[in-house]
Amino acid sequence: MHKPGDVVLGGLFEVHYTSVFPERTFTSEPRQPSCKGFDTLGFRHAMTMAFAIDEINKNSNLLPNVTLGYSLYDNCGALVVGFSGALSLASGREEQFLLKENCLGAPPVLGIVGDHYSTFSIAISNVLGLYNMPIVSYFATCSCLSDQQRFPSFFRTIPSDAFQVRAMIQILKHFGWTWVGLLVSDDDYGLHVARSFQSDLAQSGGGCLAYLEVLPWDSDKSELRRIVHLIKTSAARVVMVFAHEIHMIQLMEEVVRQNVTGQQWIASEALTTATVLQTPDFMPYLSGTLGIAIRWGEIPGLREFLLQIRPDQNDNDTFGNSMVRQFWEHTFKCRFAPLPGWVEAGGAPCTGQEDLTNVETEFLDVSNLRPDYNVYKAVYALAYALNDMLHCVPGRGPFSGHSCATLQTLEPWQLVHYLQKVNFTTSYGDQVSFDENGDALPIYDIMNWLWLPDGRTKVQNVGEVKRLAFKGEELTINEDKIFWNFEFKESVCSESCPPGTRMARKKGEPECCFDCIPCSEGKISNKTDSMECNSCPEDFWSSTHRDHCVPKKTEFLSYHEPLGIFLTTASLLGTFVCAVVLAIFIYHRSTPLVRANNSELSFLLLVSLKLCFLCSLLFIGRPRLWTCQLRHAAFGISFVLCVSCILVKTIVVLAVFKASKPGGGAHLKWFGPLQQRGTVLVLTSIQAAICTAWLVSSSPVPHKNIQYHNDKIIYECLVGSTVGFAVLLGYIGLLAILSFLLAFLARNLPDNFNEAKLITFSMLIFCAVWVAFVPAYVNSPGKYADAVEVFAILASSFGLLVSLFGPKCYTILLRPERNTKKAIISRGAMKS
């Protein structure tokens, strides 16, 4: 609907409450959705804007010599339609509009009244706010729209949900209701209300929230059944609803089905005046409902203006004739262009001369103007802002250089500036101004639903709640006028918390309502309604029920567990085998095989292997200071002694071979028994010096580790100096690699010197075990690190023992015929 004027104001209204979108294909042209379901009240809202502009144009004191026009769009209950309408209103602006008598084309839209829904207003303001197009909504209540950083040009004449929530809380506090349920719609309106309600309720200390449920849009029967069952079984007798009519209708149908009585309903402003809920089916349950409603206001002359609306028989679009025709057809159930068979079926054709006073329609009921009154105030707010701008005195203006805005060069942000400062009083006596968030001074009426004996429903005013400029919220209620549908009973918010739990205030709620939170691990409470849980001592942990402390479990590589028993058995077995082999060699020390393989070094090697097996026992059992200090030192020195003997035996094999050649006797002269003992002593002394330096500088110490498991104490040895441990292992590895290389070079000597092959194989096993040990040790927690190290010690020791002494014992015990000087010499001769 359009009306020309010097300045045009836009409007967005819900004249149809649903849209049907055509099916789209890749080949079809895009088509506009069709609007369905004529909304009489939405059309009256639009007509109220038309009336307000007509009234302003007749007022010589407001915007003299300026004629206001309007351009009204129907959002059809669909965001895409409303958004398209908003863009249509805002588009087509030139950089400068020249107001001349011969000007052609539509004048610019300087401000928009609308939209109806919060979600629509958010989307529209997100875009038009970029251009500072002023938008004044009459029904969008989402508290998020108060964010002036995000919506710098958005204003509204309806209180935000933030105040609506505070008004609800004032009612709860007035009646002492501290245990309530909250139902919200699944959209921006409901979800923001839920957050705001939880936050404000906690700050006010006015009560507790029993439950918070989101009502579905899609009439999900199972979900509605669950929600109503929750209402029925909850101890909360007060139910607050922030939703739309369709949500409440679906909810009440299920309430009737489950016969949920005895609830005190508190309705938001979107539901308080909803006549669709005041039916004989619902009122037995909803009678006595309290709610807040948009401030009622009186608009003199509106009814007479509405009665003047008539469709044009010439079918032109004057005054939005197509929209008026739809209203006429909806009201009188007639058709201007009847379809074939319409008249025959009893339908009447429209003449345009029908009398609105002869039909019962809420269109003419101006006794309860609430959203209409907000539309009226929104139009006047824009008009007063424009009027203040036109009365600016040049040189004393608010803009750069104290300049003033003019109608010819007006920018939207300039009108926003004046809109922020607008302050006027309506003919009904209500003051209208906007705060720093674009919200008008809020005021709500408190309504009560009364079910009369004749079946009619009366919604009566029983008070008001408003925010004063400097005094905060003020609540006035006449309790004598309130009708109660049931006898109110007190309810218990929370049961007592048993031992093992603590009382915890629910997030965003006062302390009257609390959860019983189980004490966290390591903490206990041993009395009812404990405010906090107490930590157990360091060596204790909480019991299963968190009501007393018990000693923590300890973990280390123990002699009593299967793994410790296995490793201990393996260690003792290795020690025993070494002793047996040593006894065999001592008993057969005069045989050629024992003498040919350097019996003295063999005996020393067996002793060192026995020490290697025994040192693994230091890693088993609860770590003590002396075991932590001794275990790595004993391990390092034992293995260096062992590997030093192997290295010297390898050098001896090479020396003997070279000495067997002509002129090679000098090799044995310079590496005789004394030099061999000295080499082993020197190499072992170096490792002893490394261990001494490590123990002196940063000695290993026992440690209670609680990092891996909170409920366990893992006893372990800290190595102290990682560098010292690395040098110890590196030195062993260096000697092992050197022995391996020398033995590998001597592997092809004649059979009578074939100990080099055994040394090569044994050192290969040794190196493989310790190369695998490093990553396994680093990645093993707690006692398993010790187990890995013990396993490496035992595996490498058994490898050396079997590789070096297995074949010799086999020959000595089972093939004695080979243990003769003649047999050894003959094998060497055959090899040569």
Side-chain angles (χ1 to χ4, degrees):
M1 300 181 67
H2 305 279
K3 181 180 180 179
D6 300 330
V7 176
V8 175
L9 300 181
L12 294 169
F13 301 93
E14 186 189 61
V15 181
H16 294 84
Y17 52 78
T18 187
S19 301
V20 178
F21 291 84
E23 294 186 2
R24 293 288 304 275
T25 65
F26 289 106
T27 58
S28 65
E29 292 292 330
R31 291 180 292 168
Q32 293 294 327
S34 58
C35 301
K36 302 291 184 182
F38 193 86
D39 188 340
T40 302
L41 291 180
F43 182 65
R44 191 178 73 184
H45 299 162
M47 292 301 95
T48 301
M49 179 172 177
F51 167 76
I53 288 178
D54 183 67
E55 188 178 67
I56 292 169
N57 287 335
K58 294 176 181 178
N59 188 343
S60 58
N61 296 320
L62 184 61
L63 292 176
N65 302 321
V66 176
T67 301
L68 288 181
Y70 55 76
S71 184
L72 311 182
Y73 280 80
D74 180 10
N75 66 28
C76 298
L79 174 59
V80 64
V81 179
F83 191 76
S84 175
L87 293 181
S88 297
L89 289 171
S91 62
R93 289 183 54 82
E94 301 294 339
E95 292 186 2
Q96 185 177 11
F97 175 75
L98 301 179
L99 190 63
K100 297 180 180 178
E101 293 181 1
N102 60 352
C103 177
L104 300 177
V109 172
L110 295 182
I112 297 176
V113 175
D115 195 305
H116 183 86
Y117 292 109
S118 293
T119 300
F120 294 13
S121 295
I122 291 170
I124 293 168
S125 298
N126 266 325
V127 176
L128 299 191
L130 300 174
Y131 306 98
N132 283 296
M133 169 70 75
I135 300 171
V136 186
S137 177
Y138 60 94
F139 211 71
T141 60
C142 181
S143 57
C144 59
L145 287 164
S146 297
D147 184 356
Q148 285 291 293
Q149 294 293 324
R150 186 177 171 192
F151 309 108
S153 61
F154 181 83
F155 302 83
R156 54 184 159 194
T157 53
I158 185 172
S160 76
D161 289 332
F163 179 75
Q164 184 178 182
V165 165
R166 289 196 292 273
M168 290 283 205
I169 293 174
Q170 289 292 327
I171 296 174
L172 294 179
K173 292 177 69 175
H174 177 82
F175 291 106
W177 295 335
T178 60
W179 188 228
V180 298
L182 177 62
L183 306 178
V184 299
S185 57
D186 188 11
D187 56 9
D188 293 311
Y189 168 63
L191 299 180
H192 277 88
V193 161
R195 283 196 292 268
S196 179
F197 190 88
Q198 289 176 304
S199 174
D200 290 355
L201 192 62
Q203 295 176 8
S204 69
C208 308
L209 202 59
Y211 52 84
L212 168 60
E213 294 294 333
V214 179
L215 299 175
W217 275 101
D218 55 358
S219 185
D220 186 340
K221 297 295 184 183
S222 61
E223 179 66 8
L224 288 171
R225 195 178 303 115
R226 183 191 66 81
I227 293 173
V228 173
H229 180 73
L230 175 63
I231 296 172
K232 186 176 183 179
T233 56
S234 173
R237 308 299 297 275
V238 178
V239 184
M240 303 197 332
V241 186
F242 289 82
H244 305 289
E245 294 177 6
I246 184 63
H247 295 108
M248 196 61 181
I249 292 172
Q250 295 168 356
L251 179 71
M252 290 310 301
E253 289 173 350
E254 185 61 33
V255 167
V256 173
R257 192 174 294 113
Q258 296 191 28
N259 192 28
V260 182
T261 59
Q263 303 295 322
Q264 175 62 52
W265 297 87
I266 302 181
S268 66
E269 49 81 18
L271 300 173
T272 299
T273 57
T275 56
V276 293
L277 297 173
Q278 299 163 10
T279 65
D281 291 334
F282 294 163
M283 282 309 294
Y285 305 89
L286 293 177
S287 181
T289 294
L290 287 174
I292 58 175
I294 301 170
R295 176 69 165 176
W296 175 84
E298 185 177 346
I299 307 178
L302 176 61
R303 191 174 191 277
E304 291 71 19
F305 178 83
L306 297 178
L307 284 171
Q308 296 175 7
I309 298 173
R310 286 191 176 275
D312 189 341
Q313 293 298 312
N314 296 323
D315 198 25
N316 57 45
D317 199 37
T318 304
F319 199 66
N321 193 54
S322 63
M323 192 68 69
V324 175
R325 284 186 166 221
Q326 290 184 52
F327 160 69
W328 211 260
E329 291 177 341
H330 175 77
T331 302
F332 293 102
K333 304 297 185 290
C334 60
R335 292 288 183 270
F336 281 100
L339 297 173
W342 170 262
V343 177
E344 290 78 0
C350 293
T351 65
Q353 301 303 315
E354 291 84 357
D355 190 353
L356 281 172
T357 59
N358 293 333
V359 65
E360 185 176 345
T361 172
E362 56 187 347
F363 181 72
L364 295 178
D365 183 9
V366 295
S367 63
N368 192 29
L369 298 176
R370 297 184 187 276
D372 315 73
Y373 189 49
N374 284 342
V375 173
Y376 184 78
K377 291 189 289 186
V379 175
Y380 265 88
L382 287 167
Y384 272 101
L386 194 61
N387 185 71
D388 292 343
M389 183 199 74
L390 295 178
H391 282 80
C392 175
V393 178
R396 299 174 62 183
F399 306 119
S400 177
H402 301 288
S403 62
C404 294
T406 64
L407 200 60
Q408 290 78 15
T409 61
L410 178 63
E411 295 289 339
W413 64 268
Q414 294 173 318
L415 187 58
V416 168
H417 169 79
Y418 283 98
L419 202 54
Q420 291 169 338
K421 299 182 179 301
V422 76
N423 192 336
F424 65 95
T425 303
T426 67
S427 58
Y428 187 64
D430 287 332
Q431 182 183 0
V432 178
S433 63
F434 300 105
D435 62 15
E436 66 277 4
N437 298 319
D439 297 326
L441 286 175
I443 182 170
Y444 276 118
D445 292 333
I446 300 176
M447 313 300 292
N448 178 228
W449 290 13
L450 174 62
W451 196 24
L452 301 175
D454 59 4
R456 293 183 299 109
T457 299
K458 179 182 178 181
V459 181
Q460 58 182 356
N461 191 321
V462 295
E464 68 177 16
V465 57
K466 59 185 176 180
R467 188 178 70 197
L468 303 178
F470 303 103
K471 297 182 181 180
E473 290 85 14
E474 181 181 82
L475 176 68
T476 304
I477 292 183
N478 186 352
E479 293 191 37
D480 295 334
K481 293 178 63 176
I482 298 178
F483 169 77
W484 302 107
N485 196 31
F486 73 100
E487 184 179 350
F488 184 79
K489 297 179 181 179
E490 293 184 357
S491 60
V492 178
C493 183
S494 300
E495 298 293 337
S496 295
C497 293
T501 63
R502 63 178 176 85
M503 294 194 305
R505 289 176 57 182
K506 292 181 181 179
K507 186 177 181 181
E509 297 181 2
E511 59 186 25
C512 69
C513 197
F514 52 84
D515 286 325
C516 294
I517 305 297
C519 292
S520 57
E521 294 182 340
K523 295 185 176 182
I524 65 160
S525 66
N526 54 10
K527 61 181 181 179
T528 302
D529 288 338
S530 295
M531 293 300 297
E532 59 182 15
C533 297
N534 300 315
S535 298
C536 289
E538 183 179 10
D539 291 342
F540 289 82
W541 197 246
S542 55
S543 64
T544 304
H545 299 292
R546 308 284 198 272
D547 54 0
H548 67 281
C549 293
V550 295
K552 284 184 179 180
K553 297 177 181 178
T554 58
E555 183 178 280
F556 54 87
L557 190 57
S558 171
Y559 290 106
H560 305 291
E561 62 178 304
L563 181 59
I565 293 172
F566 170 76
L567 296 175
T568 302
T569 303
S571 175
L572 295 177
L573 178 63
T575 305
F576 175 74
V577 172
C578 284
V580 171
V581 172
L582 181 60
I584 292 172
F585 268 57
I586 292 174
Y587 183 79
H588 296 278
R589 64 184 178 277
S590 60
T591 61
L593 185 61
V594 175
R595 296 179 62 187
N597 284 289
N598 198 331
S599 58
E600 184 179 342
L601 286 178
S602 296
F603 296 153
L604 187 57
L605 179 57
L606 284 169
V607 172
S608 65
L609 283 175
K610 185 184 292 187
L611 293 176
C612 290
F613 281 115
L614 290 175
C615 78
S616 64
L617 298 176
L618 294 171
F619 291 85
I620 305 174
R622 180 167 175 171
R624 310 284 183 184
L625 179 60
W626 68 271
T627 57
C628 288
Q629 293 176 337
L630 188 58
R631 60 168 58 171
H632 288 108
F635 152 70
I637 294 173
S638 299
F639 266 92
V640 165
L641 178 60
C642 177
V643 176
S644 299
C645 292
I646 295 173
L647 177 61
V648 171
K649 284 172 69 70
T650 306
I651 296 173
V652 169
V653 169
L654 290 173
V656 170
F657 175 70
K658 291 188 177 295
S660 64
K661 295 182 178 180
H667 290 87
L668 281 177
K669 177 182 177 182
W670 294 106
F671 202 72
L674 185 61
Q675 286 82 3
Q676 295 170 24
R677 299 189 197 99
T679 302
V680 171
L681 180 61
V682 170
L683 294 177
T684 306
S685 299
I686 294 174
Q687 182 72 310
I690 293 173
C691 293
T692 302
W694 179 16
L695 294 176
V696 171
S697 62
S698 183
S699 173
V701 292
H703 173 63
K704 292 194 299 184
N705 191 332
I706 59 173
Q707 300 301 317
Y708 292 132
H709 302 283
N710 290 331
D711 58 343
K712 291 181 182 179
I713 298 176
I714 299 177
Y715 288 98
E716 60 186 7
C717 286
L718 295 180
V719 295
S721 171
T722 306
V723 174
F725 187 45
V727 172
L728 180 145
L729 291 178
Y731 184 62
I732 296 174
L734 177 64
L735 295 181
I737 292 172
L738 185 59
S739 299
F740 172 74
L741 293 176
L742 291 177
F744 182 77
L745 294 174
R747 70 190 185 283
N748 292 322
L749 296 180
D751 281 352
N752 52 343
F753 302 110
N754 68 354
E755 195 170 22
K757 291 182 179 180
L758 302 178
I759 294 173
T760 302
F761 184 66
S762 65
M763 297 314 297
L764 187 61
I765 295 174
F766 184 88
C767 292
V769 169
W770 287 100
V771 167
F773 159 77
V774 174
Y777 180 82
V778 171
N779 291 290
S780 298
K783 66 179 182 180
Y784 297 103
D786 292 336
V788 167
E789 191 165 358
V790 172
F791 181 81
I793 292 172
L794 295 178
S796 56
S797 299
F798 273 113
L800 294 176
L801 179 62
V802 173
S803 299
L804 292 175
F805 295 98
K808 298 173 185 177
C809 290
Y810 172 77
T811 301
I812 293 172
L813 298 177
L814 301 179
R815 301 298 294 273
E817 69 277 6
R818 293 185 180 181
N819 190 11
T820 62
K821 186 174 182 180
K822 181 179 179 180
I824 293 175
I825 293 175
S826 64
R827 284 204 308 272
M830 290 175 64
K831 180 69 175 178
S832 301

